[in-house]
Amino acid sequence: MNTSDFIFQSKDKKADNLTVTWQTPSNIALVKYWGKSEPQIPKNASVSFTLNNCHTTTKIEFTKRDVLMASELQADFELFFEGKKKDDFKPKIAKFFERVKEYCPYILEYSMVISSENSFPHSSGIASSASGMSAIAMCLMSLEKELNPNITKEFINQKASFLARLGSGSASRSIEGPIVVWGSHSEIEGSSDLFGIKFPYKIHPIFDNYQDTILLVDKDEKQVSSTVGHNLMHNHPYAENRFTQANENLEEISKILQNGDIKAFINLVESEALTLHAMMLTSNPYFILMKPNTLEIINRIWEYRQENNSNICFTLDAGANVHVLYPNSEKTEIESFIKNDLAAYCQKNHYICDSVGFGARPM
Ligand code: PMV
């Protein structure tokens, strides 16, 4: 598929007013995306677990607008977040519509009222851009399906991922599940820089219902946004090696996901997390998103793993929170370790129990 394949063509059908609601999840990368070129093209391929409980539910009410020259217009929308008008989120969404209107020109023919809510607390340090952008993308595709009923489910998912990517790179990985690859890679059939694809090989059962408990170490807004962080990979002294390494790690993890070598999984996933943060530590300007308790938790996980011959491991996002990953078969003992030990390192003892999920759901 090329970019031009996503430009809307059909004018067969008309839709006056339409209300659609989608729920789409967050995701957690195992091999990380950090560094991009315009327009949201990743410098390396990445792969993630789609989450289940951390999600955004978005309703869009489309009402036909009275316009003569739609092509000259900007998208017209109102935004409500958790029941309240949210004008401070509008510029980001306006920029998203500017980017996608080339592919979905029909959005200019409607006034949109967007109402969104997250299943996770707003100030939890959990990035909501992946679930938020993918939910809007799915709503746009529901309108597109009304206008062109011939489009297939496969195309809808692909284009939704393509659109979501233009809002936030990692959002391209939030349409499907349980494992999604985004970024062109010679060893992953069908992979593309333009959209995420479902991991195309048989996944070892050890990864079924894999658990992710998110330890909320720091709920404050990040000091450095991921947009700034990605940009700091331009002229970064280790950037090229990092992109090569990530692509090698993707090839490696593809084998691991198929053969179930969990020790190799732990090693690769933790190394990826620390490498992501190493890129931040070695940027210019440099910055640190981990907090003292992030490191305390990592050390406790390592001790626990050693003492109990456990398969617990961690990964990190661009923030201080720790994602604790473990097989479903070890859920009972690891949950009590989290509750009795790790929770003390979280803000107000807060953590969120999640697991691998299956992607976007119509509501
Ligand atoms: O999608 P963005 O631009 O917010 O970047 C996300 C980057 C990481 O979460 C740190 C890594 C990833 O692959 O999700």
Side-chain angles (χ1 to χ4, degrees):
M1 294 288 274
N2 297 315
T3 304
S4 57
D5 296 323
F6 294 112
I7 298 173
F8 178 76
Q9 303 290 356
S10 167
K11 289 232 183 307
D12 298 353
K13 281 250 186 180
K14 300 240 173 304
D16 279 342
N17 299 337
L18 181 72
T19 298
V20 288
T21 306
W22 279 90
Q23 186 179 87
T24 61
S26 183
N27 68 76
I28 180 67
L30 305 169
V31 170
K32 312 285 181 182
Y33 146 64
W34 198 241
K36 62 178 171 182
S37 52
E38 279 294 319
Q40 307 268 82
I41 297 297
K43 290 285 192 181
N44 61 262
S46 58
V47 62
S48 51
F49 279 148
T50 304
L51 295 181
N52 189 43
N53 300 334
C54 289
H55 50 68
T56 299
T57 304
T58 296
K59 176 171 86 175
I60 304 190
E61 295 163 87
F62 297 97
T63 312
K64 198 82 180 163
R65 261 166 114 180
D66 228 358
V67 288
L68 288 173
M69 295 282 282
S71 58
E72 288 174 11
L73 289 172
Q74 292 179 333
D76 175 48
F77 67 100
E78 293 289 349
L79 192 65
F80 293 85
F81 182 70
E82 281 162 9
K84 296 199 186 82
K85 210 155 179 237
K86 259 293 190 201
D87 286 341
D88 43 335
F89 288 178
K90 272 187 101 172
K92 195 166 180 190
I93 308 293
K95 195 169 158 201
F96 171 69
F97 285 136
E98 269 307 294
R99 284 186 163 186
V100 305
K101 71 180 189 194
E102 187 184 344
Y103 307 100
C104 309
Y106 49 80
I107 59 172
L108 300 176
E109 296 171 18
Y110 294 85
S111 294
M112 296 174 274
V113 179
I114 307 171
S115 310
S116 238
E117 52 190 52
N118 291 340
S119 63
F120 45 90
H122 175 48
S123 52
S124 59
I126 298 181
S128 56
S129 60
S131 52
M133 291 297 177
S134 52
I136 298 178
M138 284 310 296
C139 290
L140 299 187
M141 290 312 295
S142 288
L143 174 58
E144 181 159 330
K145 173 92 181 156
E146 284 291 313
L147 299 169
N148 181 7
N150 298 327
I151 53 177
T152 61
K153 186 158 183 259
E154 189 194 355
F155 177 79
I156 290 173
N157 283 347
Q158 231 167 43
K159 183 165 173 181
S161 173
F162 172 89
L163 298 174
R165 182 198 108 238
L166 293 171
S168 159
S170 57
S172 67
R173 300 189 310 243
S174 274
I175 303 294
E176 294 186 270
I179 298 178
V180 176
V181 176
W182 168 47
S184 166
H185 193 290
S186 56
E187 298 300 311
I188 308 283
E189 247 177 286
S191 60
S192 169
D193 284 345
L194 301 179
F195 49 84
I197 59 158
K198 234 170 115 157
F199 183 69
Y201 310 112
K202 192 169 173 9
I203 301 164
H204 192 279
I206 197 160
F207 298 109
D208 287 351
N209 202 16
Y210 219 73
Q211 301 291 305
D212 177 6
T213 301
I214 307 160
L215 306 181
L216 305 179
V217 172
D218 186 28
K219 304 182 187 179
D220 294 342
E221 185 120 351
K222 286 184 280 189
Q223 297 129 329
V224 180
S225 71
S226 64
T227 308
V228 172
H230 284 291
N231 281 335
L232 291 173
M233 289 302 277
H234 297 302
N235 303 318
H236 189 294
Y238 306 128
E240 287 310 318
N241 282 343
R242 163 60 196 154
F243 303 143
T244 305
Q245 177 204 40
N247 282 325
E248 286 167 4
N249 280 346
L250 192 79
E251 186 172 347
E252 187 60 30
I253 206 166
S254 166
K255 292 182 196 136
I256 294 169
L257 292 169
Q258 295 172 71
N259 68 22
D261 182 348
I262 193 139
K263 298 293 177 209
F265 176 84
I266 291 169
N267 191 273
L268 192 152
V269 166
E270 291 191 344
S271 168
E272 270 291 315
L274 295 177
T275 304
L276 168 69
H277 284 258
M279 290 302 109
M280 301 172 188
L281 299 175
T282 49
S283 304
N284 186 7
Y286 43 79
F287 58 105
I288 306 179
L289 296 183
M290 293 182 288
K291 297 285 179 194
N293 278 351
T294 312
L295 299 181
E296 293 288 349
I297 290 166
I298 291 173
N299 280 305
R300 285 298 297 128
I301 288 174
W302 285 343
E303 277 167 19
Y304 178 88
R305 188 161 75 220
Q306 178 105 40
E307 286 161 9
N308 298 280
N309 193 25
S310 160
N311 288 310
I312 190 172
C313 74
F314 72 86
T315 188
L316 306 168
D317 237 332
N321 294 338
V322 181
H323 288 247
V324 185
L325 302 177
Y326 47 98
N328 191 40
S329 59
E330 297 182 29
K331 189 172 169 169
T332 313
E333 53 278 29
I334 293 178
E335 276 190 349
S336 62
F337 166 57
I338 291 170
K339 183 164 173 254
N340 299 328
D341 191 322
L342 298 184
Y345 300 102
C346 300
Q347 268 191 14
K348 299 191 183 142
N349 292 311
H350 282 173
Y351 58 89
I352 297 174
C353 295
D354 210 336
S355 57
V356 167
F358 295 91
R361 276 194 292 230
M363 300 303 285

